[in-house]
Amino acid sequence: MRKFTIIFALVLVLGAGEACGRVWHVELDGSGDFTDIQPAVESAAPGDTIMIGPGRFDTFHDCVAPAWTEDAIVAMVQDDLTFIGAGQDQTFIGPQEYLYSNAYDPKAFCSVDGFSARIQDLTIDNLEHGIYWWRGRLEVENCTMRGGPSSRVLLLSLDGGLVRNCRIEIGDGGIGMGASYLDSLVVEECDFIGNGTGFTTAAGVGQVDISDCRFVGNTQGLAFGFGCHGTIKNVEIINTLSHALQIVYNDFPVVLENVHIDGGQYGIIVDGLDADIVRGTNVIVENTTIEAIWLAASADVSLKNSHILPAEGLAMHLSGYLNDHMNLDFTGNYWGTTDRDSIAAMIVDFNDDSSIHGTVLFEPFADGPLPTEKQSLGGLRSMFR
């Protein structure tokens, strides 16, 4: 009876392993199934896992779309694959030096047929597009992705996606993560570092939730636009050159919670041509040099329990409010002073120009710093690096 039980248990284990798919090994030293990733992709079946060993993988193949064919190190030809590297400091996808062409955009991972995949524990280097993904679902975890000048490190159009615990290094003038025609995306515990745009959206973007992330030294930090809505929670945006957070052309609400903006010419810009709605709590906007908050058109914005502390220039500026008069609730916030007239002098609204059909309601205001906590994610980052 015991012998039968052991055999039955082995059958269950083997059957479960088969259901999880086959594991393929890609090793540059020849000890695996392949020495190049693409043959493993072409041999795999849905549900398989491709383990990528140490070293640099930089052999290109054709990624064929209906309107173009471009070079990619991994061109997806199979659905539901998992790619696992040997570690961010071990497995490198991309050339040793930045590769750029005016004629085409070389890519590390390329999917144009609505496939789904998971990518984890590796580094993507020195390509115009680190990950280019059209439709389907994508999960990226525990990865470093580095772009060169004008690179778009991740260019995503997804049915759903998750990017977690990644470091995204942006080249001058580049984009860390760009999204268009995307249904939903979650971005968690990521760093966006470098002199470009951290995260931005184009047409057709739905729900985006960003949490526990840092944006450091970007030209522009975060841009939600063209219908993009969702939440920005526990986020630091530090030392941007232009503006930290921009929300434009939305008909849906964006919720801010525990957001710390430090530095930049502008902190928050909301251009409400499509009646943008922004609700924020525990937001700190400090050390801006032109305007901490700039609102335009019909932007419906409210911040509560927040700090608005420009280093220079205005705390708030309303511009182009031309339709029905709007009252914007900014009561209960701390403005760095307890003098009512000093706060009013930092705000431009209907009280300064009757052609601006909007008034910032700032009274009553806090008489000292509120128990908002500046987000310090360095400790969290160190847990994952």
Side-chain angles (χ1 to χ4, degrees), residues 74-123:
V74 180
M76 291 294 293
V77 295
Q78 185 59 267
D79 193 23
D80 190 21
L81 299 181
T82 298
F83 299 87
I84 302 177
Q88 297 174 57
D89 60 345
Q90 297 289 319
T91 301
F92 300 89
I93 313 296
Q96 185 74 45
E97 297 182 356
Y98 177 58
L99 178 62
Y100 172 76
S101 170
N102 287 322
Y104 69 100
D105 298 321
K107 309 172 192 327
F109 287 85
C110 178
S111 177
V112 296
D113 290 314
F115 292 132
S116 297
R118 291 151 296 281
I119 303 169
Q120 62 188 68
D121 299 318
L122 52 79
T123 288

Side-chain angles (χ1 to χ4, degrees), residues 258-338:
N258 294 329
V259 174
H260 178 205
I261 294 170
D262 188 350
Q265 295 177 319
Y266 298 87
I268 299 174
I269 295 175
V270 185
D271 190 344
L273 294 179
D274 291 314
D276 293 341
I277 301 172
V278 179
R279 296 289 180 262
T281 57
N282 298 324
V283 175
I284 299 173
V285 184
E286 62 181 343
N287 296 320
T288 54
T289 58
I290 296 180
E291 293 166 0
I293 301 173
W294 183 83
L295 310 179
S298 54
D300 181 2
V301 181
S302 173
L303 294 186
K304 308 293 288 184
N305 198 51
S306 295
H307 293 173
I308 305 169
L309 307 170
E312 301 176 49
L314 295 173
M316 289 191 63
H317 182 192
L318 272 55
S319 175
Y321 279 73
L322 303 177
N323 298 317
D324 295 338
H325 193 97
M326 297 182 65
N327 290 321
L328 306 178
D329 186 1
F330 280 74
T331 59
N333 297 318
Y334 179 57
W335 303 79
T337 178
T338 59

Side-chain angles (χ1 to χ4, degrees), residues 138-369:
L138 178 65
E139 296 179 7
V140 184
E141 295 193 63
N142 306 327
C143 290
T144 296
M145 290 164 274
R146 303 187 183 110
S150 302
S151 290
R152 289 160 286 178
V153 182
L154 292 97
L155 194 58
L156 307 176
S157 300
L158 303 171
D159 299 322
L162 168 68
V163 181
R164 176 187 289 145
N165 189 32
C166 291
R167 179 181 175 89
I168 301 167
E169 299 179 9
I170 310 160
D172 291 351
I175 295 173
M177 188 182 304
S180 61
Y181 302 105
L182 180 148
D183 293 341
S184 65
L185 177 66
V186 174
V187 183
E188 298 176 340
E189 300 168 5
C190 292
D191 290 340
F192 294 77
I193 310 296
N195 184 18
T197 298
F199 176 93
T200 188
T201 64
V205 176
Q207 179 84 15
V208 174
D209 297 303
I210 297 179
S211 64
D212 299 294
C213 292
R214 292 194 313 163
F215 296 77
V216 181
N218 307 148
T219 303
Q220 306 172 73
L222 265 164
F224 272 31
F226 302 96
C228 176
H229 56 279
T231 59
I232 301 171
K233 183 177 180 179
N234 299 335
V235 166
E236 283 186 318
I237 311 174
I238 302 170
N239 294 332
T240 52
L241 300 180
S242 177
H243 52 273
L245 173 61
Q246 183 176 29
I247 300 167
V248 297
Y249 306 123
N250 282 354
D251 287 316
F252 305 97
V254 176
V255 176
L256 313 179
E257 183 178 344
N258 294 329
V259 174
H260 178 205
I261 294 170
D262 188 350
Q265 295 177 319
Y266 298 87
I268 299 174
I269 295 175
V270 185
D271 190 344
L273 294 179
D274 291 314
D276 293 341
I277 301 172
V278 179
R279 296 289 180 262
T281 57
N282 298 324
V283 175
I284 299 173
V285 184
E286 62 181 343
N287 296 320
T288 54
T289 58
I290 296 180
E291 293 166 0
I293 301 173
W294 183 83
L295 310 179
S298 54
D300 181 2
V301 181
S302 173
L303 294 186
K304 308 293 288 184
N305 198 51
S306 295
H307 293 173
I308 305 169
L309 307 170
E312 301 176 49
L314 295 173
M316 289 191 63
H317 182 192
L318 272 55
S319 175
Y321 279 73
L322 303 177
N323 298 317
D324 295 338
H325 193 97
M326 297 182 65
N327 290 321
L328 306 178
D329 186 1
F330 280 74
T331 59
N333 297 318
Y334 179 57
W335 303 79
T337 178
T338 59
D339 183 74
R340 188 259 179 212
D341 292 339
S342 296
I343 298 173
M346 293 190 291
I347 298 171
V348 173
D349 62 2
F350 176 80
N351 294 310
D352 306 282
D353 183 349
S354 61
S355 69
I356 301 173
H357 296 171
T359 300
V360 177
L361 305 179
F362 65 88
E363 297 179 282
F365 49 84
D367 59 3

